[in-house]
Each structure stands twice: as structure tokens, then as C-alpha cells.
Amino acid sequence: SQQGEEDPQALSIQEGENATMNCSYKTSINNLQWYRQNSGRGLVHLILIRSNEREKHSGRLRVTLDTSKKSSSLLITASRAADTASYFCATPNQAGTALIFGKGTTLSVSS
Amino acid sequence: EAQVTQNPRYLITVTGKKLTVTCSQNMNHEYMSWYRQDPGLGLRQIYYSMNVEVTDKGDVPEGYKVSRKEKRNFPLILESPSPNQTSLYFCASSSLGLADTYNEQFFGPGTRLTVL
């Protein structure tokens, strides 16, 4: 069952610009996670934000969480060509036995 | 280096020929899981294991088997593969149940399986 839904589905920007991706989810959560996947490769964990946190930073990444709106955003500042990838948000299911992933945002950064 | 490894990374096989995809983690994680990723469908969980000898079905378990005889290993078995099992498969592990507030999941590099 779908939990997270990312928006937009695809995003194309120039190097140096900021990229913002949004995620909406349906049920209450303990945490929300963002992952990156380079074309056809493994998923890399980027950041985890807990339900009692509103904002978290990691390098050029900034994640916000609004539990009242059941939404999160991922901001990548000063993007680089190497940031070209698909980005997924994921939340634990209610039983804590699986991560439920959205379908992802495909980011393309051109130099 | 903390990691999840999968083998093989690429596999082309024929319908009905039994195969096993191995998964191993070196982080002493209790929880392990298998996902498949398909275009337009995203990632879906096949099976998971909360600890040794404890496994359970995910969202799409049909046609798959798993076992968890050791903490570090969680092989995925396709007894009689069919073309609809052509997919990209990921193994993942985590130290605790995913509902834990602090927990992240570590993924293997993926196995691209083609069943002809």
C-alpha cells in the first residue's frame, strides 16, 4: 500500500540551483526517511527525521517535516551534476515491519 | 566497513530453473528484508525477518521463499522462476524494528534478475 507520495515526479535544474522535493504520507509515523538511488543501483540512506523534529540538516540537505499536514520536503542546495538521481521518501508501516516507499522524484542536474 | 552484500548482482535465467540470491550483513542486525523494484510500482516488500528463524510475508511473497538460519544471512529463493519475477531485488537490514524512532535501513547494491 502506498504511504509516501513524492512531488514532482521529475525535476530538471541547472548546477548551482536548489532542488526541492515534497513527500506526503497518510498515517501517523515515528520517523520519515529519505533515500537516493542512482540509476538502477542501490538505495543510499540520506537522512532520517523523527516525528518530534521539524527540520534537520546534513551537509547540503535540508529536510522539513510537518506532521499536521503529513508532509515532508527535501531541499538540496547548490546542486551538482552528481546529485542526478531518484529520491524517495519512506516511512515505516504501522507494524514496523516494512518501509513504505513513494514512487520517487527523478532529479536531473545539468552542467 | 558496515555493509549489506548481495550475490549475484546480475542474473539471466530461464523459466523454472531454481535460483538463490544471497544476502549478508555484517552489522549484527536483527531485522532483514527483501524488496523488489519495478517501474511504475516502486519498491514492494517480499519477505522480512525480525530475527533468526523468524520470517514473515510482505506485500508480494508469491513465488518466493526465504530462510534465516543465521543472523547475518537472509537468502531469497525462487523455486520455479517465471518471467513476471524479472525485477531489481534489494536486500536490507536494520538493527531494530522499523517503527523505532531512530532506525534507518541499510540496503544492498541490488540484484538485477531477468527470467526468460
Side-chain angles (χ1 to χ4, degrees):
Chain A
S1 60
Q2 207 69 41
Q3 169 74 311
E5 292 284 350
E6 290 90 346
D7 169 59
Q9 290 187 5
L11 181 60
S12 293
I13 58 174
Q14 298 285 321
E15 264 193 330
E17 294 180 338
N18 295 342
T20 299
M21 290 158 264
N22 303 298
C23 167
S24 60
Y25 58 92
K26 295 176 183 174
T27 61
S28 62
I29 58 172
N30 284 342
N31 67 67
L32 184 143
Q33 305 178 32
W34 284 90
Y35 288 82
R36 184 186 75 226
Q37 183 181 32
N38 291 86
S39 180
R41 297 189 180 181
L43 289 108
V44 175
H45 183 265
L46 295 176
I47 198 164
L48 180 152
I49 186 165
R50 291 171 278 169
S51 58
N52 62 352
E53 296 176 312
R54 291 297 167 258
E55 187 171 312
K56 199 164 182 179
H57 297 255
S58 177
R60 293 183 297 111
L61 306 180
R62 173 180 166 247
V63 168
T64 62
L65 180 65
D66 187 335
T67 54
S68 67
K69 295 180 179 178
K70 292 188 169 59
S71 67
S72 174
S73 68
L74 170 67
L75 168 67
I76 304 174
T77 59
S79 61
R80 306 166 181 167
D83 294 327
T84 294
S86 292
Y87 292 82
F88 298 88
C89 68
T91 55
N93 64 2
Q94 293 293 297
T97 56
L99 277 183
I100 308 298
F101 286 81
K103 293 188 178 178
T105 292
T106 300
L107 174 65
S108 177
V109 182
S110 52
S111 54
Chain B
E1 179 189 355
Q3 60 183 350
V4 179
T5 57
Q6 294 178 227
N7 282 292
R9 295 288 314 281
Y10 302 90
L11 179 60
I12 301 173
T13 189
V14 295
T15 298
K17 187 177 181 182
K18 180 179 179 180
L19 67 93
T20 299
V21 184
T22 64
C23 172
S24 183
Q25 50 92 5
N26 63 0
M27 294 167 280
N28 201 36
H29 285 167
E30 289 85 4
Y31 172 92
M32 297 186 75
S33 180
W34 278 101
Y35 295 84
R36 61 178 288 175
Q37 184 179 32
D38 302 288
L41 297 175
L43 282 113
R44 297 175 292 169
Q45 189 185 52
I46 303 170
Y47 268 95
Y48 68 94
S49 169
M50 297 300 281
N51 214 325
V52 176
E53 302 291 2
V54 180
T55 63
D56 210 342
K57 297 176 181 178
D59 291 328
V60 288
E62 294 77 20
Y64 304 95
K65 286 175 59 177
V66 293
S67 68
R68 187 92 181 272
K69 294 183 170 56
E70 305 166 280
K71 198 172 189 179
R72 63 183 293 128
N73 296 323
F74 190 44
L76 180 70
I77 303 156
L78 285 73
E79 295 268 2
S80 183
S82 62
N84 64 12
Q85 292 178 298
T86 292
S87 187
L88 181 57
Y89 291 87
F90 290 103
C91 181
S93 73
S94 178
S95 59
L96 292 167
L98 296 173
D100 183 87
T101 306
Y102 297 91
N103 226 12
E104 68 178 87
Q105 198 162 173
F106 293 84
F107 282 81
T111 295
R112 187 167 293 280
L113 172 66
T114 301
V115 183
L116 302 175

